[in-house]
Amino acid sequence: MPFKLRWVNLNPSPQRGFAKSNTDGSRFTRNVVAGLFTHDTSRALDPHLHTHCIVFNATFDPTEQRWKALQNYEMLRARKYVEAVYYHELIRELRRFGYGIKSQSRGDFQIEGVTDSLCRRFSKRHEQINEALDALLREKPELAGANLKDLREHLATAERFPQDT
């Protein structure tokens, strides 16, 4: 089981499955139902290795021997932490294969030896988000003082272009 999903499932903190129960309150179930989907390109078909983790609203309550809905507040709260764990594991694996890693100021990383010009060439999605941000700031100049990283993140999910499969 990949580290990220194993952490979500087994970590002794509230991020693992909670069953909703009307009779005896909430309890840890120590299980979630999830699927991992790994892609090697972005929506713009640029090289971009990433994994989607889809967690279903279901956990099996062994005490009552039945499926229940999750109480997922703590899992949602831990999303950024789990993402950091995923990137840490990805970096660890890349280093194991002999790649050097260069940390970026925005919190992500780049593989050493990959030139900035090559990254720009394969960053069509990044450019699409930049264009959407520029258009948004022209339309709503009052947002210029907002957190641009948050705006970019919002646009990355809200302004999705069709994904070729």
Side-chain angles (χ1 to χ4, degrees):
M1 180 185 301
F3 182 84
K4 177 180 170 183
L5 191 54
R6 188 173 65 238
W7 181 88
V8 170
N9 207 20
L10 301 176
N11 190 292
S13 68
Q15 283 78 14
R16 64 182 183 237
F18 266 114
K20 291 181 182 176
S21 175
N22 293 329
T23 57
D24 61 353
S26 300
R27 66 175 150 268
F28 287 120
T29 58
R30 295 188 179 267
N31 67 82
V32 294
V33 179
L36 296 175
F37 304 90
T38 299
H39 298 204
D40 56 9
T41 60
S42 70
R43 289 178 177 271
L45 299 180
D46 290 327
H48 178 69
L49 180 63
H50 63 286
T51 304
H52 299 272
C53 178
I54 309 301
V55 178
F56 298 93
N57 187 18
T59 185
F60 186 76
D61 184 343
T63 303
E64 295 182 28
Q65 291 292 301
R66 65 186 184 111
W67 289 94
K68 294 183 173 182
L70 289 173
Q71 287 190 5
N72 59 0
Y73 174 77
E74 292 296 330
M75 283 194 329
L76 293 173
R77 223 172 58 134
R79 192 182 75 200
K80 288 292 185 188
Y81 177 74
V82 174
E83 183 178 278
V85 170
Y86 171 80
Y87 282 126
H88 174 79
E89 288 299 303
L90 179 59
I91 289 169
R92 189 179 62 78
E93 288 295 307
L94 288 168
R95 285 187 173 138
R96 190 171 69 87
F97 287 118
Y99 291 98
I101 301 299
K102 180 172 56 171
S103 294
Q104 304 284 52
S105 61
R106 59 180 189 245
D108 58 353
F109 67 92
Q110 189 172 335
I111 296 175
E112 287 180 352
V114 177
T115 65
D116 289 339
S117 64
L118 188 60
C119 286
R120 280 191 302 277
R121 180 176 177 195
F122 290 109
S123 296
K124 290 187 288 290
R125 181 73 178 124
H126 184 80
E127 284 306 311
Q128 290 170 340
I129 295 167
N130 282 344
E131 289 169 9
L133 179 61
D134 290 344
L136 178 65
L137 293 176
R138 278 192 305 275
E139 184 181 311
K140 297 183 178 183
E142 67 274 12
L143 293 177
N147 184 326
L148 295 183
K149 182 180 179 219
D150 286 349
L151 285 175
R152 286 183 52 76
E153 206 171 288
H154 173 74
L155 289 169
T157 55
E159 299 286 326
R160 291 198 172 169
F161 299 90
Q163 187 170 22
D164 293 337
T165 54

